[in-house]
Amino acid sequence: MSTLQNKRILLGVTGGIAAYKAAELVRRLREGGAEVRVAMTRAACEFITPMTMQALSGQAVHTSLLDPEAEAAMGHIELARWADAILVAPASADFIARLHAGMGDDLLTTLCLATRAPIYIAPAMNQAMWDSASTQANIAALQSRGIIAFGPGSGSQACGEIGPGRMLEPIDLATRLADTFSAGSLTGSTVVITAGPTREALDPVRYLSNHSSGKMGYALAEAAIAAGAKVILISGPCQLPAPEGAELLAVESAEQMLAASLAAAASADIFIAAAAVCDYRPLNISEQKIKKNGKDPLTLKLVANPDIIASVVAAQPNLFSVAFAAETEHVLDYARAKRQRKGVNCIIANDVSAAGIGFNSDDNAVTVIDESSELTLDKRSKSQLARALIDLLAEKSKNIKDQAL
Ligand code: PMT
């Protein structure tokens, strides 16, 4: 956890039985070399005393927005500026709702509003509260703003129930926070990305293809490299420069893309299929240019191409697999069904009928769907979207790996 060395962590503690674990969390963060200051809500003080947190952090604890003494030493704006990161652990359902609403009626929500530092939350609550539509909607909205949730874990709860909602253990939280300061969330991972269209030859001069420019896949490759991953980019024909640092494998047809994908997937941790693969190819490729006779309609016989992402999932069931679903109607329903059919962990629903997003545009907007959640990322540049997607997919793949341990 050496990446916490000299990092300034503002630990927010809200009211919940897991607040007692915040004491150990302070110790873990300080063991990692972090300087820790603690802000507690009034409800948190009912579960654990500020004195305990002061003794462990070695700093005065902040409990009130309008405290003349605290404002004289380090006021809330300075505290918000001081932090390299804010971690709220435990984050209660009430706090999550108030953070989502942008409230600023107590110290902790005000600090979150005033900071430019990244905010991480460790949800902790009863499993039914976690599953409630309100909490899930609040979490999804916070994630779409770039706030990352660590956990929650699943298991037996203080209330006697069993299910998701347990705060992750302090050591896990400290490690995850440390990871955010390391070279990137994908350091040490290999990510394979397919991008662009495929071309299916008809004859020596003609082909079937589609409007994919490769912008989305290339932006994902750049974002994954920035997050520290080794990236293999398998690209159909595109007019884009190779992303610096990526291993670029240029292919033309779906069959070539399949062969390159299966080979690259063998050493991959994450596979993202952003390519627009032609579903069909001509049954026969004419050796010579097809001549027009000007009278009769030309009939082409097409055969189905192999499903690349489904083949990769079948060959490498342990890698974290992500497909896109380019749809023009019933976008979410079709995407959900496609996720099941292709057996991928996650599918990114892309409405390619909407103006200004999708094929060949500079912007995009998507909904990320996995087994238990759906998160809409509103319209933004493909680069910005790719960064948000990579953070999200890194977190999801890490959660799945952790669950498998
Ligand atoms: O390239 P851009 O101009 O930036 O546009 C981005 C994009 C719209 C191409 C991209 O965001 C996108 O939606 N990519 C998927 C396009 C597509 O072909 O979707 P699909 O719904 O037909 O396919 C579903 C998934 O299966 C995709 O992940 C696709 O890569 C994969 N697939 C499809 C067919 C096939 N034979 N093998 C596959 O692996």
Side-chain angles (χ1 to χ4, degrees):
M1 255 189 287
S2 56
T3 43
L4 283 176
Q5 198 66 42
N6 300 327
K7 293 292 180 290
R8 296 185 295 200
I9 307 302
L10 179 59
L11 177 64
V13 185
T14 73
I17 187 64
Y20 79 92
K21 291 186 183 174
E24 191 191 339
L25 179 55
V26 173
R27 287 191 45 218
R28 297 289 185 182
L29 294 171
R30 292 196 72 195
E31 277 167 15
E35 192 181 336
V36 182
R37 290 177 187 261
V38 180
M40 299 173 70
T41 64
R42 191 160 354 138
C45 300
E46 303 282 333
F47 289 90
I48 184 167
T49 66
M51 189 63 80
T52 304
M53 302 304 273
Q54 178 170 321
L56 291 169
S57 66
Q59 300 287 339
V61 169
H62 304 262
T63 54
S64 140
L65 179 57
L66 302 170
D67 172 356
E69 235 174 70
E71 290 295 315
M74 188 184 259
H76 63 276
I77 297 294
E78 283 97 329
L79 198 52
R81 285 195 194 127
W82 169 86
D84 292 319
I86 295 182
L87 170 61
V88 183
S92 64
D94 174 70
F95 172 77
I96 289 168
R98 293 188 312 109
L99 186 62
H100 169 225
M103 308 283 280
D105 59 347
D106 71 357
L107 177 64
L108 191 51
T109 48
T110 307
L111 289 170
C112 291
L113 280 177
T115 194
R116 290 193 190 285
I119 300 172
Y120 305 95
I121 57 175
M125 66 198 73
N126 162 272
Q127 51 100 14
M129 290 169 74
W130 171 253
D131 276 340
S132 77
S134 309
T135 302
Q136 288 304 311
N138 291 334
I139 285 281
L142 291 178
Q143 285 179 329
S144 71
R145 287 183 213 158
I147 293 174
I148 289 182
F150 293 152
S154 193
S156 63
Q157 302 196 304
C159 56
E161 295 180 14
I162 296 176
R166 279 167 63 105
M167 187 173 95
L168 294 185
E169 292 305 315
I171 183 68
D172 295 333
L173 291 174
T175 306
R176 289 199 185 202
L177 191 62
D179 285 348
T180 68
F181 289 106
S182 67
S185 51
L186 288 175
T187 301
S189 300
T190 299
V191 179
V192 177
I193 299 171
T194 65
T198 63
R199 274 183 192 171
E200 311 299 333
L202 278 166
D203 68 14
V205 297
R206 303 185 182 93
Y207 54 82
L208 302 175
S209 192
N210 58 60
H211 293 294
S212 172
S213 62
K215 287 177 191 169
M216 191 69 246
Y218 278 54
L220 284 164
E222 278 164 9
I225 290 165
K230 172 181 179 220
V231 171
I232 302 174
L233 177 61
I234 302 171
S235 176
C238 295
Q239 304 302 314
L240 301 170
E244 201 174 319
E247 182 184 340
L248 181 70
L249 304 178
V251 297
E252 292 235 340
S253 67
E255 286 183 306
Q256 290 170 358
M257 189 173 272
L258 173 69
S261 295
L262 287 174
S267 64
D269 301 289
I270 299 179
F271 193 104
I272 306 176
V277 183
C278 291
D279 287 323
Y280 293 91
R281 67 177 186 277
L283 176 61
N284 298 306
I285 305 174
S286 170
E287 278 183 23
Q288 304 302 329
K289 185 180 169 196
I290 300 169
K291 304 302 284 179
K292 70 173 178 210
N293 80 11
K295 287 191 300 211
D296 305 324
L298 177 67
T299 304
L300 294 176
K301 269 204 174 148
L302 303 177
V303 286
N305 265 327
D307 189 316
I308 297 172
I309 184 67
S311 310
V312 163
V313 170
Q316 305 292 341
N318 291 330
L319 59 64
F320 185 77
S321 52
V322 183
F324 273 73
E327 306 292 351
T328 55
E329 57 173 352
H330 310 300
V331 176
L332 295 183
D333 282 345
Y334 284 174
R336 289 179 197 120
K338 214 170 246 184
R339 191 184 80 79
Q340 302 274 4
R341 214 165 48 241
K342 293 188 181 254
V344 288
N345 296 102
C346 194
I347 199 149
I348 300 174
N350 207 165
D351 182 350
V352 290
S353 69
I357 61 169
F359 282 104
N360 202 17
S361 52
D362 290 333
D363 297 335
N364 210 359
V366 296
T367 299
V368 182
I369 301 173
D370 68 10
E371 195 180 21
S372 58
S373 68
E374 298 194 2
L375 174 65
T376 297
L377 299 174
D378 298 332
K379 183 176 171 181
R380 62 197 83 176
S381 73
K382 282 182 177 167
S383 310
Q384 285 171 332
L385 183 69
R387 283 199 294 274
L389 284 172
I390 288 294
D391 282 350
L392 196 62
L393 298 175
E395 189 64 22
K396 284 182 187 296
S397 92
K398 186 162 184 358
N399 282 340
I400 285 194
K401 256 191 204 158
D402 289 352
Q403 279 166 19
L405 292 178

